[in-house]
Amino acid sequence: MKPLLSIIIATKNRVPYCISAIESILSINSDDIELVIQDNTDHLELKEYIESKIIDKRLIYQYTPPPFSSIDNFNAAIELATGEYVCMIGDDDGINPEFIKIAKYAKNYKIESIGSSQIAEYYWPNAIDKYKDGSLSIPEFSGSSISFNPSKKLIPLLMTGIVNYIPFNLPRVYHGLIKKSLMEQIKVNCGNYFDGLSPDIYSTIALTTIVKKHVLIDYPMTIAGTCVSSTSAASVKGEHSGRLEDAPHFRSRNNYVWDEMVPKYYSIQTIWAETGIKAIKGFGKSNLLKYFNLKFLVAQSILINPNIKNLIMEQSKLVIKSENKSITVFQLQVALFIIIIKLRRNFKKIVSIFSKKKDNRIYYNNINNVKKATDQLNEYMLKRNFDVMTLFDKN
């Protein structure tokens, strides 16, 4: 009998974090859960640890030695999952133990996609200077929920250059709950579960094209971890920008063809946009690409990565030139978007100051691994005495 829920981790070279994630998930007392670990580490440390320390039939582990790209690792991880529903998390992340109840509700009421507008955040020790001893923060949540057809948000997403898809609250297998059959549908359509350079944005846009009803809950289903070597920590430190050929995403993908609609420089914004465009094309939605706003993408990139401003403009001009458009007009439009974005940011800061908006997150410090963070979250939920099933009263 297949499990209800597969929690999936694709890992590489972050053994201590992954071990803690494994311990935290397997500590959940439920036979409805399955934990899938797809390991591409450069050595056998995690493999040897699992073989010697863990005896649990709920754990599926596979080791694939390098060379093996990150996208291949993600694809192999999904392939191993046998659950009716799936959720992917990072090897430094965790889940709310109440996640199982949410999956049960989804099955009983035939819901194919559930996402959360709230997330618990955990900073591993020394991930950033502010939290040297580790810190968990739990958001205040209302317990409300809404449902909508996510495909209607594709055009607005394209109009923002696909630079920040998270606030759109679209279906996602990463930190979301998705019926496994939908991931199989993506594979049938595109040849694989993931493509492009960012598995999260690829699957999000692919799912957005096929999910008819997505339920969004105001409740933290997972714990987003940030460790010393995570991409989140690197982003905070401004380490994700430069020449395209220097991007780590291309490792073991020597034949990757970068989409010509996106300028060739390395930034989170271009990685997301290029992958998003590949997903849209893969699902036969190329007619929507007329809404893709390159000016907004470039403006955001310059504001976030000012150290490579010249490279950004140089590569962007090549795209504009290939499309036989005016470079002068493009530069003026980018400048205008930069002004607009800055004005919006300043306005939000002013509103925040005068509204005296409080930080409603609850913080727990001196938490040195995600297992302890999960235990703390579970303790908080028990004290809160919140009935998860009330999340779906209106759906």
Side-chain angles (χ1 to χ4, degrees), residues 90-120:
D91 48 18
D92 54 355
D93 297 333
I95 68 166
N96 184 337
E98 297 284 86
F99 203 136
I100 310 300
K101 293 181 181 178
I102 295 172
K104 287 180 179 178
Y105 187 93
K107 177 180 173 64
N108 291 339
Y109 289 87
K110 296 181 172 56
I111 299 173
E112 56 186 6
S113 173
I114 298 178
S116 175
S117 59
Q118 299 282 5
I119 199 164

Side-chain angles (χ1 to χ4, degrees), residues 194-224:
F194 305 107
D195 200 355
L197 298 171
S198 169
D200 190 9
I201 186 64
Y202 186 87
S203 57
T204 292
I205 290 184
L207 288 165
T208 297
T209 66
I210 58 178
V211 170
K212 299 296 185 292
K213 179 183 177 182
H214 174 59
V215 177
L216 180 69
I217 60 177
D218 188 74
Y219 177 81
M221 298 196 300
T222 57
I223 301 172

Side-chain angles (χ1 to χ4, degrees), residues 3-8 34-36 81-88:
L4 172 64
L5 173 65
S6 294
I7 301 296
I8 307 166
E34 166 187 88
L35 175 59
V36 173
T82 64
E84 187 171 348
Y85 288 86
V86 293
C87 170
M88 294 196 80

Side-chain angles (χ1 to χ4, degrees), residues 9-20:
I9 297 175
T11 186
K12 182 180 179 70
N13 293 342
R14 300 204 298 199
V15 175
Y17 306 108
C18 193
I19 288 174
S20 186

